[in-house]
Amino acid sequence: MATETTLIDTTAHAAETPETAQPYAELGLADDEYQRIREILGRRPTEAELAMYSVMWSEHCSYKSSKRHLGYFGDTTTPEMREKMLAGIGENAGVVDVGDGWAVTFKVESHNHPSYVEPYQGAATGVGGIVRDILAMGARPLAVADPLRFGPADAEDTRRVLPGVVAGVAGYGNCLGLPNVGGEVVFDKTYAGNPLVNAMCVGAMRAEDLHLAHASGAGNKIILFGARTGLDGIGGVSVLASATFDGDESAGGRKKLPSVQVGDPFTEKVLIECCLELFAKDVVVGIQDLGGAGLSCATSELAAAGDGGMYVDLDRVPLRAEGMTAAEILSSESQERMCAVVAPSDVDAFMEICRKWDVIATEIGEVTDGDNLVISWHGETVVDVPPRTVAHQGPVYDRPYARPASQDAIQSATPDSLTRPSTPDELRETLLRLVSSPDLASREWVTQQYDRYVRGNTVLAQPADSGMIRVDESSSRGVSVSTDCNSRYVYLDPYRGAQLALAEAYRNVAAGGAQPLAVTNCLNFGSPEDPGVMWQFERAVHGLADGCAELGVPVTGGNVSFYNQTGDTAILPTPVVGVLGVIDDVRRRIPTGIGNEPGETLLLLGDTRDEFGGSVWAHVVHGHLGGTPPEVDLERERLLAEILVAGSRDGMISAAHDLSDGGLAQAVVEMALVGQCGARLLLDPDADPFVQLFSESAGRVLVAVPRTEELRFTEMCSARGVPWRKCGVADEQSNQLEIQDVATFGLDELREAWEGTLPKLFA
Amino acid sequence: MTARIGVITFPGTLDDGDAARAVRHSGAEAVSLWHADADLHGVDAVVVPGGFSYGDYLRCGAIARFAPAMTSVIDAAGKGMPVLGICNGFQILCEAGLLPGALVRNDKLHFVCRDQWLRVENTTTSWSTRYDSGAEVLIPLKSGEGGYMADKPTLDRLEGDGRVVFRYVGENPNGSRGDIAGIASESGRIVGLMPHPEHAIDALTGPSDDGLGMFYSALDALGAVAA
């Protein structure tokens, strides 16, 4: 990066020395990208400008490989879908009107590569970053959730990465005082060397308090507040998140801190409270968090979204390292920093609030009536650029994409020829093997390291299908979230797999009793330079967008993470889908465990087909991945959600659990164990017990209804055209799960199988 | 008369809102106290809530103990004002010398969040009279440094004087000596515990409403009328 010279590379100097060789390639810029910068500026960029462009034009910040396809989300969003959207793609996070004047904002972001290099800090700062994104919308962060993916559970490196990531999520999130209400833990060999650490945050505000990031009004002051700026994370965006894990020894020979940033959750907690007080006192015109690309990103995005230029004096930035160059200050990714635009008359009040919270706040510049973002250092101009060219006009690639020739072979290798269990003993053994597999075993070893209680509004949390948070204590209005993706399905058929991820998250939200309302995503894929990966990406985007249009739920934002691969082997394509739902009265939530009412009837809603492509059974028992994933019927999913929401509102359902990985067997085991209640399951004598127990057909939910509500509920299902089958009863007097004519299990036996696995691997 | 119970907020306090909500649920008035303000605003009792005061980067509660508000609490406690320390608040009361012993890192080294059964061992303190002796209550425990430690003479004295107020039932979650979850001062006016009664005031958001008993007990101790 910047060489240590006594001469400051000013814009004037750059204009005089066009031939100076610049390390643009090391910074991740292609030849034509560098040439474009020279064309934009009419001269070579200064060191500081080159640092800004290189981080802002990196894949991570500019979405240069994905932008072309992401436009499809907007193309498929109808005016009706837009109705409840207060802010969408392009803002820090999407914002949705959830009624009663409340607006809710939510987003998922990846922090994959840093978490492989340094699991604890990578995961911790992932949480910190997403929380600041939510804060930058003017919302109070309410809860977090973390979809995580690792290599095989018994792999040596997973023992390094998983405990570190979980401790990092816990260490940062718990100290921030945000309940962790959900997420995922998934194991697959393609994630070895490429763990996925996605972080979700949900926040709420009064609709009129929405703060969008922009710098308007000449004369308004730019205030940087929060932590000091140091050498940490420099180059993290352009180097780490773009292509390689190569070291971070600077070109100039100066030793820098590791590229992975170090988090300080205490500073962030104080920053949250400070920001909320600043919002409440209405002393902020615009606000932006500092995340990837640090000040480069914050200043250029604020200026690009405003109506004028901006002047920033880097000498005023509070530093915690000596001898930093302008380029280093601009690209530092020191955590826990925010940038605000403040009217001159409010600066004193702003500073007073920051003093109360012991938050360092410094006026570093102002909005100007010029066109450019101008940055000075030691009294000389080191940056003078049109801000939009940095923030929004980065390169856009039309990467080639093509269905890989191998896809046909993958799909024709169906699981039909795999040996299936048939005798009662074999079925019994299969159930226990699946329940105790790392794929399906209880996640309690992970989730009990997370505080799910703080703030006292958590209504549902893991192991429930969705996390549910009360937003308004007086009205009991609440929201719920679920994130899902079965990447084996996506691998077999990216279009349908993405729709299945959407269907599952949508169904999980409805299973708690909430009406699904909006969608976010975190699209984790391999290298975009591989046409096969780009095809997976293009298909997944289309599948998700078309699915959202069919369900009438808008995509409000998202995140893309490419280059998740080792050598030529990419991860399974993993478009994590997050669905947000709203519930009028959280007291009507539907829990997961049975036994809440005396004598419940178990009803299976939906159709069960012989569908084992990408299933847990094929994966765990046969190490097989081939064929096609289950069919998806989004109209059915919509009807199911209607029934669940109506059933919750009218008190007809006392427990519900979505059927997904592991099918009916896994769902009934979890409902019994969570509810600490025995049950009897009656299979259809005319159908194959193996298919009934383990098929992963989508569009199904197992519900428990009080006996008194059974008739009313089943009549509603019939009237709405959703098939149902009475498949058993809960028995609170029993400590057994009996699957009639197949096997009987003690709940203790099941609990040991389900809960014993992760502690044995990781404790 | 409605009792007024103060809840202190330090930088990094997390469960102050929950503690205030629990106070209100019990029928008392919750009064916010700011760490930098030595004025206790005439409250009748104080709750020192959970969190990570000042980030707890040094030793849990080590810095918070010196806050102006805590100096006033130490003074008022000496005159008999009931004080409840929850989790980080318990750690702060130990650091402040209001309760003996210390809390150390969990023996399994992980943060633990779980619904924990506790047995009520002493029903005579200002914060436990509403419970039946030997009753088992279900209260969330969520901490990384919850192992109660003290030297043997101190532990013997606490046990001998019946100052162990709450004890973990079943598997010890954090390596606490004697399965101790909470203890009282000699006077019984000051109680500290690691589990979070403020998260167990409503079966909607917690595992039970067993935690409310502590707040009702304090109102009884103050001679106020509970709603």
Side-chain angles (χ1 to χ4, degrees):
Chain A
M1 178 160 305
T3 47
E4 180 98 301
T5 53
T6 45
L7 179 73
I8 296 171
D9 191 19
T10 62
T11 50
H13 180 249
E16 289 161 9
T17 54
E19 302 309 323
T20 302
Q22 294 193 283
Y24 62 88
E26 290 87 331
L27 290 169
L29 288 170
D31 293 345
D32 57 335
E33 291 172 348
Y34 177 67
Q35 285 309 321
R36 239 194 90 205
I37 296 169
R38 296 186 67 125
E39 282 163 27
I40 289 167
L41 299 177
R43 57 173 164 80
R44 74 163 174 86
T46 65
E47 281 177 8
E49 287 166 343
L50 185 62
M52 287 185 84
Y53 278 104
S54 69
V55 284
M56 290 302 291
W57 285 14
S58 68
E59 187 68 60
H60 183 81
C61 292
S62 74
Y63 293 81
K64 56 189 169 193
S65 299
S66 55
K67 209 177 226 169
R68 213 184 142 265
H69 301 291
L70 296 177
Y72 191 66
F73 285 123
D75 298 343
T76 47
T77 306
T78 62
E80 298 79 58
M81 288 160 74
R82 257 177 245 281
E83 257 170 35
K84 291 192 182 301
M85 266 170 75
L86 303 175
I89 295 171
E91 298 297 341
N92 282 307
V95 183
V96 183
D97 178 356
V98 299
D100 287 353
W102 286 102
V104 167
T105 175
F106 72 128
K107 191 181 183 189
V108 192
E109 269 202 349
S110 63
H111 227 221
N112 303 340
H113 293 164
S115 302
Y116 177 66
V117 177
E118 216 297 73
Y120 185 98
Q121 292 297 345
T125 54
V127 175
I130 193 67
V131 168
R132 286 193 302 281
D133 268 335
I134 294 304
L135 193 56
M137 300 307 293
R140 174 178 268 286
L142 295 180
V144 293
D146 295 82
L148 308 175
R149 281 163 176 81
F150 303 100
D154 56 0
E156 191 53 37
D157 198 48
T158 303
R159 268 187 262 265
R160 170 186 74 97
V161 177
L162 184 145
V165 165
V166 170
V169 169
Y172 203 100
N174 293 348
C175 191
L176 280 190
L178 292 176
N180 192 311
V181 298
E184 300 165 87
V185 176
V186 177
F187 301 101
D188 186 85
K189 64 177 189 291
T190 64
Y191 301 122
N194 301 287
L196 302 186
V197 174
N198 294 174
M200 175 189 245
C201 184
V202 185
M205 70 197 106
R206 299 301 295 169
E208 66 268 22
D209 293 338
L210 178 60
H211 284 261
L212 296 179
H214 56 77
S216 294
N220 281 344
K221 303 302 180 187
I222 310 299
I223 298 180
L224 177 66
F225 62 118
R228 289 171 180 273
T229 299
L231 284 164
D232 41 337
I234 289 179
V237 166
S238 63
V239 180
L240 271 182
S242 283
T244 75
F245 291 138
D246 289 344
D248 188 44
E249 295 297 318
S250 71
R254 274 184 57 213
K255 175 86 176 149
K256 294 198 181 65
L257 295 177
S259 274
V260 177
Q261 318 84 316
V262 176
D264 173 2
F266 169 66
T267 296
E268 178 123 328
K269 166 66 180 171
V270 173
L271 195 56
I272 291 172
E273 299 302 330
C274 178
C275 280
L276 291 171
E277 190 166 338
L278 293 170
F279 297 151
K281 300 277 162 60
D282 204 14
V283 293
V284 175
V285 176
I287 191 159
Q288 174 80 38
D289 62 303
L290 274 71
L295 265 177
S296 292
C297 179
T299 53
S300 61
E301 287 195 348
L302 276 172
D307 51 15
M310 184 188 287
Y311 168 75
V312 171
D313 180 359
L314 284 187
D315 293 291
R316 297 199 191 169
V317 173
L319 303 178
R320 62 171 177 234
E322 286 182 16
M324 288 180 74
T325 66
E328 287 169 336
I329 296 168
L330 283 169
S331 46
S332 162
E333 294 189 358
S334 291
Q335 299 289 293
E336 293 93 23
R337 296 179 298 161
M338 303 284 283
C339 201
V341 181
V342 182
S345 56
D346 289 328
V347 169
D348 286 347
F350 187 102
M351 293 298 184
E352 180 61 34
I353 292 167
C354 290
R355 268 193 298 278
K356 173 185 165 188
W357 290 99
D358 287 326
V359 167
I360 300 169
T362 314
E363 198 182 302
I364 60 166
E366 63 181 32
V367 179
T368 63
D369 53 13
D371 294 323
N372 276 11
L373 168 61
V374 177
I375 299 178
S376 72
W377 175 237
H378 294 355
E380 308 205 56
T381 300
V382 293
V383 172
D384 189 349
V385 297
R388 278 166 207 83
T389 66
V390 179
H392 302 313
Q393 292 164 9
V396 176
Y397 287 170
D398 190 0
R399 303 260 193 206
Y401 60 96
R403 185 173 190 269
S406 57
Q407 200 70 23
D408 285 339
I410 292 167
Q411 291 202 337
S412 54
T414 68
D416 299 348
S417 58
L418 302 175
T419 308
R420 298 180 169 194
S422 54
T423 67
D425 279 354
E426 287 170 357
L427 288 165
R428 182 178 210 286
E429 195 253 344
T430 302
L431 183 143
L432 287 173
R433 183 162 173 197
L434 294 186
V435 162
S436 63
S437 68
D439 299 67
L440 296 181
S442 165
R443 270 51 184 143
E444 191 182 353
W445 186 85
V446 171
T447 57
Q448 81 164 9
Q449 295 184 49
Y450 303 155
D451 180 353
R452 63 180 177 276
Y453 283 115
V454 64
R455 300 190 54 75
N457 289 312
T458 307
V459 177
L460 291 175
Q462 57 283 82
D465 286 328
S466 57
M468 186 180 286
I469 296 286
R470 179 172 59 190
V471 172
D472 186 334
E473 216 170 322
S474 58
S475 71
S476 289
R477 180 167 291 266
V479 295
S480 81
V481 287
S482 179
T483 63
D484 292 284
C485 178
N486 186 326
S487 52
R488 288 191 301 266
Y489 295 167
V490 186
Y491 176 74
L492 297 179
D493 182 341
Y495 185 90
R496 192 194 288 180
Q499 294 204 333
L500 284 164
L502 169 66
E504 186 180 349
Y506 184 91
R507 197 186 315 128
N508 278 334
V509 162
Q515 176 63 48
L517 212 58
V519 173
T520 190
N521 60 62
C522 190
L523 309 173
N524 307 271
F525 287 77
S527 169
E529 296 161 37
D530 176 340
V533 169
M534 264 331 271
W535 172 79
Q536 292 174 332
F537 181 79
E538 189 269 350
R539 288 287 79 204
V541 166
H542 279 248
L544 180 56
D546 291 345
C548 287
E550 192 172 345
L551 288 169
V553 286
V555 174
T556 62
N559 178 245
V560 178
S561 172
F562 278 131
Y563 295 103
N564 296 287
Q565 69 178 54
T566 306
D568 290 337
T569 310
I571 58 163
L572 294 178
T574 313
V576 170
V577 178
V579 170
L580 173 82
V582 62
I583 183 167
D584 297 343
D585 184 349
V586 293
R587 290 168 297 182
R588 292 287 190 194
R589 83 218 178 276
I590 308 174
T592 305
I594 53 174
N596 300 302
E597 300 273 342
E600 292 167 329
T601 301
L602 300 180
L603 299 165
L604 176 61
L605 311 184
D607 292 308
T608 304
R609 291 175 292 269
D610 186 334
E611 293 183 302
F612 288 93
S615 67
V616 167
W617 170 75
H619 176 68
V620 169
V621 176
H622 296 282
H624 178 272
L625 176 55
T628 50
E631 285 176 30
V632 58
D633 177 352
L634 294 170
E635 176 57 17
R636 169 65 57 79
E637 302 285 355
R638 202 184 55 72
L639 281 175
L640 261 183
E642 265 183 29
I643 283 172
L644 291 162
V645 171
S648 135
R649 192 186 49 231
D650 297 342
M652 287 190 273
I653 302 177
S654 50
H657 195 10
D658 123 276
L659 267 61
S660 52
D661 301 21
L664 176 63
Q666 184 69 19
V668 75
V669 166
E670 290 182 5
M671 290 178 86
L673 291 178
V674 171
Q676 301 178 47
C677 173
R680 228 169 335 132
L681 190 66
L682 310 163
L683 299 182
D684 178 351
D686 298 326
D688 180 351
F690 166 72
V691 172
Q692 292 188 70
L693 285 171
F694 301 109
S695 164
E696 296 186 3
S697 293
R700 296 183 302 160
V701 177
L702 184 59
V703 299
V705 298
R707 203 158 291 159
T708 49
E709 301 292 337
E710 190 181 325
L711 186 61
R712 190 158 71 112
F713 182 78
T714 52
E715 279 176 351
M716 176 175 74
C717 291
S718 300
R720 295 183 190 223
V722 169
W724 55 272
R725 194 176 73 78
K726 188 167 165 176
C727 68
V729 288
D731 182 358
E732 62 269 34
Q733 305 302 319
S734 161
N735 56 5
Q736 292 185 327
L737 170 65
E738 181 192 346
I739 303 176
Q740 213 165 50
D741 300 328
V742 174
T744 298
F745 304 85
L747 290 188
D748 289 345
E749 176 187 22
L750 290 172
R751 190 174 299 284
E752 197 184 319
W754 190 52
E755 293 182 355
T757 304
L758 290 198
K760 268 183 228 139
L761 285 164
F762 299 107
Chain B
M1 160 206 128
T2 307
R4 302 176 74 243
I5 299 185
V7 177
I8 304 184
T9 300
F10 300 93
T13 294
L14 306 177
D15 298 311
D16 42 351
D18 301 65
R21 185 191 290 118
V23 165
R24 290 194 301 272
H25 269 245
S26 71
E29 180 190 347
V31 179
S32 288
L33 302 177
W34 182 243
H35 70 106
D37 185 357
D39 185 351
L40 297 184
H41 300 275
V43 297
D44 303 305
V46 165
V47 177
V48 187
F52 292 76
S53 52
Y54 302 93
D56 280 342
Y57 293 135
L58 180 56
R59 198 173 61 241
C60 295
I63 299 177
R65 165 253 182 284
F66 292 103
M70 273 312 295
T71 304
S72 302
V73 168
I74 294 167
D75 188 43
K79 295 170 187 155
M81 188 175 73
V83 178
L84 178 67
I86 303 168
C87 196
N88 194 225
F90 183 16
Q91 294 160 342
I92 292 167
L93 297 187
C94 288
E95 287 288 335
L98 291 176
L99 292 171
L103 284 307
V104 302
R105 188 127 189 241
N106 294 350
D107 57 355
K108 293 188 184 72
L109 305 181
H110 296 297
F111 188 97
V112 169
C113 174
R114 71 182 201 194
D115 300 338
Q116 178 69 46
W117 287 100
L118 309 177
R119 191 166 52 246
V120 184
E121 301 276 30
N122 176 333
T123 57
T124 64
T125 76
S126 297
W127 299 91
S128 62
T129 50
R130 282 286 186 109
Y131 298 102
D132 294 330
S133 186
E136 292 190 356
V137 295
L138 188 61
I139 311 267
L141 173 74
K142 40 165 223 183
S143 43
E145 303 191 23
Y148 183 74
M149 288 288 159
D151 58 22
K152 188 157 186 319
T154 305
L155 288 170
D156 289 346
R157 198 168 65 244
L158 287 173
E159 295 286 358
D161 296 348
R163 285 166 56 193
V164 174
V165 186
F166 302 101
R167 217 185 287 276
Y168 299 117
V169 177
E171 190 193 352
N172 184 317
N174 50 28
S176 263
R177 289 296 150 85
D179 299 329
I180 289 173
I183 58 171
S185 62
E186 265 180 54
S187 66
R189 310 284 284 177
I190 305 168
V191 167
L193 78 166
M194 285 312 296
H196 288 258
E198 82 281 17
H199 292 324
I201 60 167
D202 180 351
L204 180 69
T205 53
S208 72
D209 60 3
D210 292 347
L212 274 178
M214 288 181 220
F215 300 92
Y216 287 136
S217 298
L219 299 193
D220 291 348
L222 295 171
V225 183

